[in-house]
Every structure is written in C-alpha cells, then in structure tokens.
Amino acid sequence: MNKQREHYRIAIDGPAASGKSTVSRQVAQQLKFVYVDSGALYRGMTWKAVREGVDVKDAAAVIDLMDRSTWDFLVEDLILKFTIDGVDPTDHLRSEPVRERVADIAVIQEVRAFMVARLQETAAFGDIVMEGRDIGSVVFPDALFKYYLDADPEERARRRHKELLATEGRGDVKEVLTSLTRRDQIDRTRKTAPLQIPLGARVINTTGLAIDQVVQRIVDEVNAHRNSSA
Ligand code: DC
C-alpha cells in the first residue's frame, strides 16, 4: 500500500509590499495549493474591534472580544476564507481604519497565540502556501520550503502607492513610505514573533525583479522536489 505523503507547506515571509502577496497567490495557483493570507486574520480581528468600538490599544478589551467571537474557516477556490460571528470581513480588511490599527493588534501576545493556533489548523486543508511575518519561524518552523522576500523601502512604498491608486484612486507616496516604515518598525521590534528571516529560509530581494521570475523560481524548486520524491 502507498504510504500517504505529507502535505506541502510553503512559508513566505517578508515586510509589507515586499511582493509576497502576489507571489504567494500565484505560486498557490500554479501548484494548485491552498493560499493562506495570515495577515487577513490579524486584519479580521482589527476589523472586529473597530466595528465593536473597542480600542485596539486596550489589550484586555481586545482579548475579551476575541474570546467572545466565533471564527469559522473554509476553503473556496483554493483560497482560505473565514467568518467572524458569521460575517465575512473580506471587503473591509484593506480599509484605512484597519490598515492603521492592525500592527497594534498584532503585538498582543494572546491574539498572536490564537491566530498561530488557527493558522496551524489550516494544515488540515492540504498543501498550502502561507504568507506572513512569522510563518517560517513560528507557525510552521518545519516547513520544507521557506522564503523571505524583501525589497528596498522606497520600492515597497512605490508598489503600495500604486496599489492604493488602483483601489482608492488616491495616495501620497511620501505618506505611504512613512506609514510603511512605522509598521515595519512595530513588526520588527515587537517582543513576540518579530518579523525576522526564519532559520533556513531562502532570501529573495525582489527590488527590480519581475514577479514572474520570483514565482517561477519557487514553483521550480517545489516541482523539482515533487519529482525527486515521486
Ligand atoms: O501582511 P499584512 O499587511 O496583511 O499584515 C497586516 C499586519 O499583521 C502587519 O502589521 C503585520 C501583521 N502580521 C503579523 O504580525 N503576523 C503575520 N503572520 C501576518 C501579519
């Protein structure tokens, strides 16, 4: 009888606008793996707090709200989705109130413990590509494939600015750089699971690289492994 193979887990970490979302989505699509955006969970909690009028700097109130809410996860078209108390927050996750507060939510240790546990449970959905800040270091330290994507801050601000223009029709590149640098600073210096290069991760600097090149490299590495262990 065939021994059932272990599911693949691809961890893709990096700072905001390093290209990791686009790369992770495309890698997942090409390999037909489930795509998991771990930041969406932190954004979801932030959305919930804003909606309920809870101050994100009041950790006890945030934890109380988290404990009182029910999260459900499902996979749709190979993308992990979730609801909080039956409501799908997807459309609100990139809004300004959420964007400006999410780094404060992500420093709360109990929130991190809750999200890490939920993210680890998604392994049950099969082969996955998960993007975030602590995936290769905390969520799946044993992942066979770990990548750390980075790019110069100015390049990242330009990319984020372009996205904002496309989604909101406005944005100031200097403001974007300031907000991005502030968020990086919080993410890198927080006590629990700071943004860092996970042990054993392959570092890819995406400044000046086409997304396709990065995607292809990762897909090729995974396929080479699949073929060699088939
Ligand atoms: O990747 P993103 O911009 O959606 O992340 C939103 C925030 O959540 C950002 O401040 C970093 C934090 N985050 C985290 O701390 N750990 C993760 N695994 C993913 C996101």
Side-chain angles (χ1 to χ4, degrees):
M1 206 162 61
N2 272 346
K3 194 172 149 247
Q4 211 176 3
R5 72 165 176 83
E6 286 231 356
H7 287 134
Y8 277 98
R9 290 171 197 156
I10 306 178
I12 303 187
D13 290 299
S18 56
K20 66 183 190 317
S21 292
T22 316
V23 167
S24 303
R25 266 173 218 279
Q26 292 189 13
V27 166
Q29 260 172 16
Q30 290 200 23
L31 292 169
K32 306 225 171 347
F33 287 7
V34 174
Y35 165 68
V36 181
D37 170 10
S38 68
L41 274 66
Y42 293 91
R43 287 173 183 267
M45 190 61 236
T46 311
W47 165 79
K48 182 75 180 167
V50 171
R51 188 178 149 109
E52 305 288 330
V54 168
D55 177 2
V56 297
K57 296 216 189 246
D58 183 348
V62 171
I63 294 162
D64 178 55
L65 177 63
M66 184 177 78
D67 290 344
R68 283 187 286 113
S69 49
T70 303
W71 294 58
D72 288 303
F73 293 84
L74 67 152
V75 171
E76 240 179 57
D77 297 331
L78 287 178
I79 295 175
L80 183 86
K81 295 270 176 83
F82 61 92
T83 57
I84 307 174
D85 294 331
V87 183
D88 175 358
T90 309
D91 291 345
H92 309 284
L93 299 182
R94 308 248 146 219
S95 68
E96 194 179 342
V98 170
R99 196 163 62 228
E100 290 307 318
R101 289 171 178 79
V102 64
D104 291 313
I105 283 275
V107 298
I108 304 172
Q109 207 156 327
E110 288 81 353
V111 170
R112 299 205 67 83
F114 176 89
M115 300 308 165
V116 167
R118 302 290 81 73
L119 291 166
Q120 288 170 336
E121 287 163 8
T122 66
F125 287 114
D127 296 319
I128 56 178
V129 177
M130 188 180 292
E131 63 150 300
R133 303 290 197 290
D134 61 344
I135 310 308
S137 54
V138 177
V139 179
F140 292 132
D142 297 331
L144 203 48
F145 292 93
K146 297 187 198 180
Y147 295 91
Y148 185 88
L149 267 48
D150 209 346
D152 300 343
E154 291 73 18
E155 166 79 13
R156 294 194 284 119
R158 269 195 302 275
R159 288 179 188 166
R160 194 36 64 88
H161 178 239
K162 219 170 128 187
E163 272 172 28
L164 280 177
L165 283 182
T167 55
E168 293 178 16
R170 62 185 179 89
D172 175 273
V173 78
K174 269 209 197 116
E175 258 173 43
V176 174
L177 181 61
T178 309
S179 149
L180 207 111
T181 312
R182 176 183 159 269
R183 216 136 64 78
D184 278 358
Q185 174 69 7
I186 300 179
D187 290 342
R188 282 186 220 274
T189 55
R190 66 171 174 238
K191 278 205 213 82
T192 312
L195 172 67
Q196 57 177 324
I197 301 174
L199 208 66
R202 300 159 170 93
V203 178
I204 306 177
N205 189 319
T206 66
T207 315
L209 278 185
I211 289 292
D212 292 359
Q213 290 174 281
V214 183
V215 172
Q216 203 53 51
R217 172 176 160 184
I218 299 176
V219 167
D220 286 349
E221 286 178 1
V222 176
N223 279 334
H225 185 273
R226 285 212 279 202
N227 295 336
S228 72
S229 55

